[in-house]
Amino acid sequence: MSELKKGPFWITNTLTRKKEEFVPQAPPHVGLYVCGPTVYSDVHLGNVRTFTTFDLLYRWLLHLGYKVRYVRNITDVGHLVGDIDEGEDKIAKRARLEQLEPMEIVQKYTNGFHAVMRQFNVLSPSIEPTATGHLIEQIDMVKRIIDHGYGYEANGSVYFDVPKFAEKHAYGELSGRKIDELMSNTRDTEGMDEKRSPLDFAIWKKADPIHLMKWPSPWGEGFPGWHLECSAMSTKYLGLTFDIHGGGMDLKFPHHECEIAQSIAADGQAPVRYWMHGNMLTVNGRKMAKSEGNGFTPEELVTGNHKLLERGYSPMTVRFFMLQCHYASTLDFSNAALQAAEKGLERLMKAVQTLNSAKASGNSNGAYTSALNVIEELAYGHMNDDLNTPRMIAVLFDGVTEINKAVDGGGVARGFNEAELGRWKKFYSEMVFDVLGLQQETATAGDDTAMDGLVKVFIQLRAEAKAKKDFAASDRLRDQLLALGIVLKDTKEGTTWERA
Ligand code: AMP
Ligand code: ZN
């Protein structure tokens, strides 16, 4: 491989609870798997935080020179309302409520998710597999688990035998749970009459006749358990053991714990070398969640149309706000912090613009080379120290002070020669745009008549779609415009637009 830029890279492995040097099993290749969204509703800002955390990891690995295969799945079946083995399938429930086919729900919210990811400049993964697209692999995995004695069939469902697994292997290592404590804390759940132990979890569930999403299997018609898809798809695309598995902290138990158990039971190998978990976005100290009613959508955030928001904030302001906090710490939402982030981002972006349009004065005094050497060294050091973005950003601001000192009112960088100026530009562009994934946001609406005309054409098309009751099409148009930073607002006087 081409020489690694400025390593080594250390990450906190949440399995060992230690900061470890990251050494991929087959450099320069890195296998990265991140649990994606369950596409049954609009994503909220908490979800965006987790995907931004792993976007940052992906970007840093690429920047260091690794060739990354990044797999981030779409959960489109099997995630039940109770998050365990009970309740209706989240997607089927939504389909019933919206009177749509489950696959229309999946498509609608997958489109919405992609639009939000583009809005926040989150890079697409290399592979985005769906659970319904991998039924064969999941059924095969259930068979392997049964063959090895860790799964049993009961009345058309198949359960993972946790106590049997725990006789020989560690269960609970990732989440720090102990089998005895889990035993005393379990309550009666659906399927208890079928399960040998309350700790057992479904890897295949029998579908009743009215169930919407079901497939034939050796055990009758049914659907896979939620945890199974990630095990089957990570194995298929990244191998039996791969480098990094990520997800939000709330997925450690039971989801990730069950993933580990399934892989060991099916294939005899621990699946993951480094586990990484992003911490939660909270509102007044409580996790932002759909069920808490404290989750706002990115659209509400941009328009400011939510009781918790004093006004709207741009996606890049929010991205910057998130990056100013270390990914492993909780981040509490606040208007004051967002307003501070907005100011900080403006200062940083202005400096980058100043730098990019500056001309070198030609007479170097060497001071800016030494300053950049220090800044580079510190910035790499912080990023390699478990992606410490708050510290790295503070270092970038030290550089901003230097830039503002050096560039005079005429745009001439005093004390810089061509080569030095080139190095500063390259460093800032790599850190700000490639690594942190920030973007310049454009000016307000109305400054461009051609643009205004174009958006009005789309508004007209959307109105026509709505008139025909084709809400899928009208929502799609709105989401596609939103992805381009154009927010539509429906008012009594008609639809207007503004830039995000
Ligand atoms: P879900 O669609 O609910 O499966 O969640 C998708 C991802 O968002 C998972 O990795 C969750 O851990 C993550 N997530 C959910 N709520 C939050 C939150 N409040 N803060 C950060 N991440 C979250
Ligand atoms: Zn998963």
Side-chain angles (χ1 to χ4, degrees), residues 187-199:
R187 58 197 165 94
D188 277 357
T189 56
E190 195 177 298
M192 249 336 280
D193 46 338
E194 294 167 359
K195 289 183 189 180
R196 293 180 190 163
S197 155
L199 299 188

Side-chain angles (χ1 to χ4, degrees), residues 1-11 21-24 27-30 56-68 244 376 379-387 430-431 434-435:
M1 74 182 286
S2 62
E3 203 186 314
L4 260 194
K5 281 192 221 167
K6 310 214 175 178
F9 175 33
W10 291 71
I11 54 185
E21 183 181 339
F22 174 63
V23 184
H29 300 283
V30 173
L56 176 77
L57 171 68
Y58 181 40
R59 286 169 180 274
W60 188 244
L61 290 167
L62 292 175
H63 182 75
L64 290 177
Y66 290 115
K67 296 191 176 355
V68 187
I244 308 178
E376 267 194 11
Y380 275 89
H382 292 317
M383 285 302 286
N384 280 328
D385 181 16
D386 202 19
L387 300 171
E430 284 180 353
M431 292 300 123
D434 303 347
V435 171

Side-chain angles (χ1 to χ4, degrees), residues 447-456 484 486 497 499:
D447 60 347
D448 183 337
T449 41
M451 181 70 168
D452 190 46
L454 269 174
V455 178
K456 282 185 176 141
L484 297 169
I486 309 280
W497 71 278
R499 289 187 199 262

Side-chain angles (χ1 to χ4, degrees), residues 235-350:
T235 300
K236 172 159 176 150
Y237 296 112
L238 299 173
L240 293 180
T241 299
F242 58 95
D243 292 307
I244 308 178
H245 191 317
M249 205 80 106
D250 55 337
L251 297 186
K252 266 190 188 174
F253 189 87
H255 188 55
H256 292 158
E257 204 69 74
C258 295
E259 275 188 45
I260 296 174
Q262 288 168 160
S263 286
I264 295 174
D267 300 310
Q269 253 170 265
V272 178
R273 302 175 65 240
Y274 302 85
W275 281 93
M276 284 180 84
H277 288 94
N279 216 326
M280 297 290 106
L281 180 70
T282 56
V283 180
N284 296 323
R286 294 171 74 95
K287 175 187 166 190
M288 181 179 281
K290 199 133 204 100
S291 52
E292 294 270 349
N294 65 359
F296 33 81
T297 62
E299 191 176 336
E300 287 164 337
L301 187 90
V302 168
T303 57
N305 193 7
H306 189 281
K307 61 179 189 309
L308 284 165
L309 295 163
E310 284 170 14
R311 60 176 172 83
Y313 303 96
S314 77
M316 284 306 112
T317 297
V318 179
R319 186 171 171 113
F320 193 58
F321 160 71
M322 290 175 174
L323 292 171
Q324 280 183 302
C325 175
H326 188 248
Y327 76 87
S329 307
T330 53
L331 171 62
D332 203 46
F333 163 83
S334 98
N335 280 282
L338 275 167
Q339 283 158 27
E342 191 177 71
K343 283 215 182 80
L345 178 65
E346 203 183 309
R347 180 156 172 262
L348 180 62
M349 287 307 201
K350 249 200 198 131

Side-chain angles (χ1 to χ4, degrees), residues 69-231:
R69 180 179 292 168
Y70 176 17
V71 183
R72 191 186 66 207
N73 67 307
I74 294 279
T75 296
D76 57 357
V77 71
H79 195 169
L80 305 187
V81 172
D83 276 340
I84 42 173
D85 297 341
E86 56 185 321
E88 203 174 349
D89 185 294
K90 292 189 180 195
I91 286 157
K93 179 175 176 189
R94 191 65 178 225
R96 189 167 53 69
L97 294 175
E98 292 197 25
Q99 298 191 327
L100 292 171
E101 273 291 319
M103 276 300 142
E104 284 181 286
I105 293 293
V106 164
Q107 192 65 59
K108 176 176 169 181
Y109 292 110
T110 302
N111 291 347
F113 170 64
H114 287 156
V116 169
M117 292 298 100
R118 281 195 295 275
Q119 205 183 1
F120 285 85
N121 204 23
V122 172
L123 298 175
S124 302
S126 336
I127 305 176
E128 194 173 48
T130 61
T132 56
H134 295 77
L135 263 306
I136 292 171
E137 289 81 355
Q138 294 181 78
I139 290 171
D140 270 356
M141 195 157 197
V142 175
K143 285 191 204 157
R144 298 201 296 282
I145 293 171
I146 296 176
D147 287 349
H148 294 156
Y150 294 114
Y152 58 90
E153 196 233 316
N155 189 28
S157 291
V158 182
Y159 293 97
F160 190 96
D161 192 333
V162 173
K164 176 115 186 263
F165 178 80
E167 282 169 18
K168 281 208 188 136
H169 307 278
Y171 182 82
E173 215 180 355
L174 179 69
S175 55
R177 313 220 175 184
K178 306 238 170 339
I179 286 277
D180 323 341
E181 287 165 19
L182 284 170
M183 258 327 208
S184 55
N185 287 337
T186 47
R187 58 197 165 94
D188 277 357
T189 56
E190 195 177 298
M192 249 336 280
D193 46 338
E194 294 167 359
K195 289 183 189 180
R196 293 180 190 163
S197 155
L199 299 188
D200 296 351
F201 58 90
I203 44 183
W204 185 263
K205 285 271 286 181
K206 177 187 177 167
D208 50 43
I210 57 155
H211 206 90
L212 290 171
M213 303 171 88
K214 54 186 178 211
W215 291 265
S217 80
W219 316 283
E221 292 229 306
F223 57 93
W226 171 39
H227 317 304
L228 193 66
E229 59 172 286
C230 291
S231 296

